Amino acid sequence: MPGRTSKDNSAAQLAHLPIAIPKIFDQVQLSTANHQKNFVALYKLHAEAAQYTEIVYNGRGVKLVGERAFEDVFQRMLILVFPQKKGVAQAERIVKFVGGYTKFINEKAAEETVNQESKDEDEDEDTTASRFTAHLLKFLLKGFTGKDKIVRYRVLRIVAEMVSHLGEIDEEIYTNLRAALLDRVSDKESPVRMHALIALSKLCGAEDSSEVEDGQSVLDTLIDSLAHDPSADVRKAVLLNIPITEITLPHILSRTRDVDTTIRKVVYLSVLQSNTTQGDPPVVGPSHPRVLTIAQREQIVRNGLGDREPTVRSAAGALIGAWVENIHLKFEDNLPQLDEAIATDDKVEKNILLLLKLFDLMNSTVATDALLSVFSTKEAMFNEIEFGDHYWKHLTPESAFLARVFVDYCKATNDETRLEAALPVVTALAFHIQESYNSLLDNIQNFKEEQLLLEYGEEDKVHKEEALLDQEFIICEMLKLAVNLDYADEIGRRKMFQLVRDMLSQEGLPEGLIPACLDVLRILSVNERDLIRIVVEIVTDVRDRGEEEEDSVVKDVDAETNYGDTPATVRPARATLSRKPSAELSPEERARADVIDLKCLTLCTGMLERVDSTLDDNSTLHGILQDLVAPSAQRKELPFRQKGFVALGLCCLIAPRLAVKSIRLFMSQILNSPDDLKIVLIQSVFDMIMVHEATLRREWKKEGKDLSELIGYLAGLITADTSRKVHALICTGIAKLVFSGVIADDTAISNLIVAYLSPRTVDNQELRQCLTYFLPVFSYSSSANQERIRKIFLKTFNDLNNIRRDLDDGEDMVGAAQVVAMFVDWTDPLKSLNAVNARGNNRDGVMNDSIHIEMANDIMMALLKPQEFGVDFQSDEKKVLLQVLPKLHIPDKVDDDEIRKLKLVIYNVMQRRPLQDVAANKAVAKFDSIISEKFAQQLEDFSEEDYKKLENLKDLFDFLDSIIPEDDEVVEVVPKKRGRKRRPQSVASTSTEAESQANYSTKEKPRRNAKRRRISGSDGEDVDSENTPVPSAPTRVLPKRTSFVFISISMQN
């Protein structure tokens, strides 16, 4: 800045500022294109004004007259902007101009500081820019607590625009600004909160966590608002401005599951994709896939490609495409060596393989989804991929995975041209598989021998095991690829068949390769019966091989192959799988036999999972069932029991008679089994019921038993104390049986709802996700299901209330009002599928649009006589029930008996069970008014005496007459201080209710102070001259129910 000089005529020289500055503001509010020009013009005025000062304190001080004059005019211009509402374009341009000028003036001050020739000058000396910034901030801070929300918004908007360009400011001003912004984070207006958080996000980089003494840090505040602020706009603003660090990245990725679609899309496009690279030339950014962990990469791909909104899935696909294009960028010292492991010169193929290296290919399907997304969004990359002979000779887990997914994509898109060009011939692939498998067996054998002779370190052992797993994965991917080959070539088919058969016949075959081998064998078999026969034969050969040593290397598939080796002419299986008794085996032989049996169980299980034909059509299965499966299920060792019951359950699915005999065995083992086995048993039982329900009911009925007992036992397991996974499995199975109509007992539905809302399942996301989908779908699927929900409403609501009363400290659950709202929503007749069909002129199904009328009637009757419904509501729970009445759906047409019945119970609740809560009574009165007005014609000229004559309402009147008064219905007759005790007008003594009420209504009301004549009695006292008997003072009375009172209320309403 120019040096300051003293001027006596400063006032005259500064008089042009109130004219020049408004002209600049007039220009900048019209367009942002002239902002840069006006930055220069305003800075020139500012610099000129700063030259004018006054000497004070006898020359010991300087008064900055010019700067203060400039700042005053500048602030007056801002005051005119403050009342402008959000969205006014002129005000927004001025706000941007203020932020831009703050940046401009501080940059100028920084340039002057750098170019300063005098090194003796104090570096901390104030400048015109720093004083202007500080004075403007102090002025704006006054508006943070303004009463007008528009003023608070404008002030925060200007500060958010300025805060990135403040330069160096005083510590006190920084502290005050930080505290004021943190205070505005809790503002009730979302635009104010949004700009406060934007400003804080630009301050958090300058905050030192060690200096934060009390309260949350700025970063913690941003993270909390990102997760919990109710406004989607606020969360979006934080998401776009929060810095991406190791601390904030997990919270940013959690927004991929945000309820707002726009936010989920912004995460992928504006946050992750925009920060994949930085600078020019591009370098690795904070969201580059190499910076992320495997779990974070999988979370991004899984949530993005699995999103229900197409726009979010498209954004996720664009992000993955950007990853592929920028995966080759170098990053630090520990990652460039990834390029060296890729033996290819093709850039596209190399980038894809580099990306696949960053995923867990063996234990997750995320990499498959990501690669399919690349093929669909980057068609040019897909077209450039080619697989030559060299490719198949040097397979890695990533290249094998790429080839397999490429073939699957071609099959899915029916791209036969690309498929034919990519796939090798069957014979060549068989050779590759054979070579890789033999190498795997050799390496496994060498590893076992080396473990005996050498002492491996933990790292070396892990490295060797990972290498073996990689080899196994390559073979598995080639076998999956072999499923899609063209087996029209008979020679290639025979060679592939013999290879797979020999692999399955070996003890050393890794268990992970069995499913892939069976898939190939199923393709090569003529039909299911042929597949079963081949597998049974393999199992027989393996188990009966005894102590004979088998070759560890598969024979050369290129050797001469006779037609007799094909599946059509293989020798038949033996009838039994006999072997030497276990007692005659040595410990080594027994251990080897156990290993073989476990492998055979896995083989049988895989085969049974791939067939649908019945057990009766495949007699060869009986031998396996009797000699392998059943004995394994009866053994004590958990691995045998678990695999044995899995195989037995699969056999039961294709054998109804076996299911009838075995289901009791499965049920008897559930309670005392460990969780892993318990899951197998429960799954098998549910599957048998779903598949063989009719057969099980018929056979059990012949024995005098009912299948409902078994189903009831399963439904009772919902409330048992089990692990979360078992609990979720039970609820899922019961929900399926209820939805399919197998379970007709409404208690099962009630148990599901209690489990859904219980605090015990708050951490069981699998259970809650299942029931969150099931309960609305089940309810809306038909009016009959909504009727079932209505019937269990009160009982289930009472059970949940009991649970809520017994909550421990720190436990929480859904409130009573939310529970009632859920039931009202589930029973809404307008959401029923029958209602949808009716609106669509589909006459299938009958819509029950009076279900909420019946629900209201149930609520009223439960309040009148709770013991009849087995409930016990407290006052606050009664209030919730009554307040929901006006929200029920009342159809335009209701049966006369139903509406009269509802009117009767409403009246009895208002007269005999009124609540002390005013809001609850108002809700009942409002509901009564709605009913009376909407159905005035049906309720007109109808008395209670006429109601009693209706046979349809006989049960209702019996119910009303049986009501026992509660304590609050007791009428205490307290003598008055003045006058005599009078007979209560609501008491009925010797006359009937109708006569008593009629007589009372026609009598003339006696005068208050009239003296009554008395007749002497035995004790000399007087009695009334009209011989009226003197009643004893009653202690309990019943309110009257008369036609007169009822009709008068109806007419009033």
Side-chain angles (χ1 to χ4, degrees), residues 686-697:
F686 280 125
D687 289 343
M688 283 187 272
I689 294 175
M690 289 290 291
V691 176
H692 303 304
E693 180 209 356
T695 303
L696 290 172
R697 288 189 184 277

Side-chain angles (χ1 to χ4, degrees), residues 124-333:
D124 295 332
E125 181 183 357
D126 288 343
T127 62
T128 302
S130 62
R131 289 191 294 271
F132 171 79
T133 304
H135 196 269
L136 183 58
L137 281 177
K138 290 179 181 179
F139 170 72
L140 293 174
L141 284 174
K142 298 176 183 178
F144 275 41
T145 56
K147 293 184 179 180
D148 192 341
K149 63 182 180 181
I150 300 176
V151 173
R152 296 200 306 275
Y153 163 74
R154 280 296 169 196
V155 170
L156 267 299
R157 176 78 176 84
I158 295 173
V159 171
E161 196 71 30
M162 291 175 53
V163 74
S164 297
H165 319 295
L166 295 180
E168 295 183 3
I169 59 175
D170 185 70
E171 183 68 23
E172 182 181 357
I173 297 177
Y174 170 79
T175 303
N176 294 337
L177 176 61
R178 177 183 177 277
L181 289 173
L182 289 174
D183 184 58
R184 287 304 94 202
V185 170
S186 58
D187 197 285
K188 65 180 180 180
E189 300 296 330
S190 59
V192 177
R193 296 198 307 272
M194 179 176 68
H195 289 288
L197 289 166
I198 291 174
L200 285 172
S201 67
K202 298 172 182 177
L203 285 179
C204 66
E207 184 181 48
D208 188 355
S209 58
S210 61
E211 298 177 357
V212 179
E213 298 178 357
D214 300 326
Q216 287 183 324
S217 65
V218 171
L219 192 60
D220 292 337
T221 302
L222 293 173
I223 292 173
D224 183 71
S225 299
L226 178 64
H228 303 113
D229 196 282
S231 172
D233 291 335
V234 175
R235 298 198 304 274
K236 178 182 175 182
V238 177
L239 188 64
L240 291 172
N241 290 277
I242 191 171
I244 303 178
T245 64
E246 292 183 0
I247 298 175
T248 61
L249 188 57
H251 302 282
I252 292 174
L253 297 185
S254 68
R255 292 305 92 204
T256 58
R257 304 296 291 172
D258 197 280
V259 296
D260 187 77
T261 303
T262 303
I263 291 181
R264 299 199 302 273
K265 182 179 177 181
V266 165
V267 173
Y268 288 98
L269 290 182
S270 302
V271 179
L272 296 177
Q273 185 175 350
S274 299
N275 290 279
T276 300
T277 60
Q278 289 181 337
D280 189 17
V283 294
V284 169
S287 63
H288 192 277
R290 291 192 185 181
V291 180
L292 307 175
T293 64
I294 291 180
Q296 289 172 343
R297 288 190 289 266
E298 291 190 349
Q299 180 185 5
I300 291 171
V301 175
R302 184 186 304 109
N303 293 347
L305 297 182
D307 198 278
R308 61 178 177 270
E309 294 294 333
T311 55
V312 180
R313 294 197 298 270
S314 177
L319 171 64
I320 297 171
W323 282 358
V324 174
E325 293 174 351
N326 299 285
I327 193 65
H328 62 280
L329 296 179
K330 304 293 183 180
F331 177 74
E332 294 184 355
D333 298 331

Side-chain angles (χ1 to χ4, degrees), residues 888-952:
L888 299 179
H889 169 70
I890 308 299
D892 295 332
K893 295 181 180 179
V894 180
D895 182 72
D896 290 349
D897 290 339
E898 288 185 8
I899 198 62
R900 292 164 183 168
K901 180 179 178 180
L902 179 61
K903 183 65 179 179
L904 274 172
V905 294
I906 292 175
Y907 167 71
N908 277 273
V909 168
M910 296 173 67
Q911 296 297 318
R912 309 177 70 175
R913 293 288 191 272
L915 268 70
Q916 300 301 322
D917 186 81
V918 177
N921 290 328
K922 285 185 178 180
V924 178
K926 180 179 179 181
F927 184 66
D928 179 62
S929 175
I930 294 173
I931 295 298
S932 300
E933 292 178 3
K934 195 165 189 176
F935 304 100
Q937 186 174 359
Q938 292 173 264
L939 297 173
E940 188 178 4
D941 298 332
F942 209 94
S943 66
E944 188 174 354
E945 292 299 324
D946 296 330
Y947 277 49
K948 290 182 178 180
K949 297 177 184 178
L950 296 176
E951 186 67 23
N952 295 337

